[in-house]
Amino acid sequence: MSTHIPTPSTPPSVAAQIARLPDLPMADIKALWQQLVGGETPTHNRQFLERRIAYRLQEAEFRKVDANLLDRNQRRIASLVETGKVKKRDRDYRPAAGTVLVREYKGVEHRVIATADGQYEFQSRMYPSLSMIAREITGMRWSGPLFFGLRPPSNAKAKPSTKKRGAR
């Protein structure tokens, strides 16, 4: 098993870059800010700057992996600004590439891997949706996101009344 050692041609991972932010001199933090955000730093609060730089590093890296991620986030931000409320998830929500979804069904553990192209790998085969995989596993039509726990069950069924009846 080989280990990945960063060289001048392969920069350190985003996680490694973020992990070393607290150890960088303030001058380097300001230089990173200018490189990633542009302009002068809006504050001298180091924690604020580190958090924003970490966000920008992740944004740049994950935009490469999932081109739709930025669009989805911009729609969520627009919705928040418009309504003042955060929606739970977009309807087109998909887990990040590399996410492993695990579900036990009838005593058998099933593993699904989200891929960068928006599909899912299950038992060495590619599927365009989680619902197709859930149907493959159960033999019935299921909401894939519900089956794999990405979405909570709806509360469509009325709950029994919890009111106490008065004594006669």
Side-chain angles (χ1 to χ4, degrees):
M1 180 177 196
S2 65
T3 58
H4 178 73
I5 300 171
T7 64
S9 62
T10 59
S13 71
V14 171
Q17 291 177 57
I18 292 169
R20 72 170 199 223
L21 286 175
D23 300 329
L24 292 178
M26 191 63 169
D28 289 352
I29 293 289
K30 289 181 178 185
L32 259 174
W33 180 274
Q34 287 183 331
Q35 176 188 348
L36 295 169
V37 180
E40 294 297 315
T41 57
T43 179
H44 297 292
N45 182 323
R46 185 179 179 102
Q47 188 177 33
F48 173 88
L49 297 174
E50 286 178 11
R51 286 181 178 171
R52 296 319 176 276
I53 289 169
Y55 176 84
R56 285 295 174 114
L57 289 168
Q58 292 174 76
E59 180 182 51
E61 181 63 25
F62 295 121
R63 185 182 304 141
K64 295 176 202 170
V65 175
D66 184 355
N68 298 321
L69 181 64
L70 186 58
D71 292 336
R72 284 197 308 264
N73 284 340
Q74 286 175 336
R75 283 196 310 272
R76 292 185 76 196
I77 291 167
S79 173
L80 173 62
V81 169
E82 185 178 318
T83 65
K85 296 179 183 176
V86 177
K87 287 172 41 177
K88 294 281 188 207
R89 289 194 177 114
D90 276 351
R91 293 187 61 71
D92 67 344
Y93 170 78
R94 291 188 181 258
T99 301
V100 179
L101 303 170
V102 180
R103 167 69 196 260
E104 185 177 320
Y105 183 75
K106 293 191 175 181
V108 177
E109 186 176 271
H110 300 278
R111 292 179 174 270
V112 174
I113 302 172
T115 62
D117 61 359
Q119 295 196 52
Y120 302 93
E121 181 181 337
F122 174 63
Q123 295 180 340
S124 302
R125 293 191 313 249
M126 298 305 291
Y127 292 83
S129 74
L130 288 172
S131 297
M132 290 179 76
I133 298 170
R135 186 174 189 181
E136 181 86 14
I137 292 169
T138 65
M140 298 180 287
R141 290 187 183 271
W142 264 86
S143 159
L146 179 64
F147 182 79
F148 285 99
L150 296 176
R151 198 183 75 201
S154 66
N155 293 333
K157 296 179 182 176
K159 293 181 181 176
S161 175
T162 56
K163 292 181 183 176
K164 292 183 180 180
R165 295 184 184 200
R168 290 188 175 190

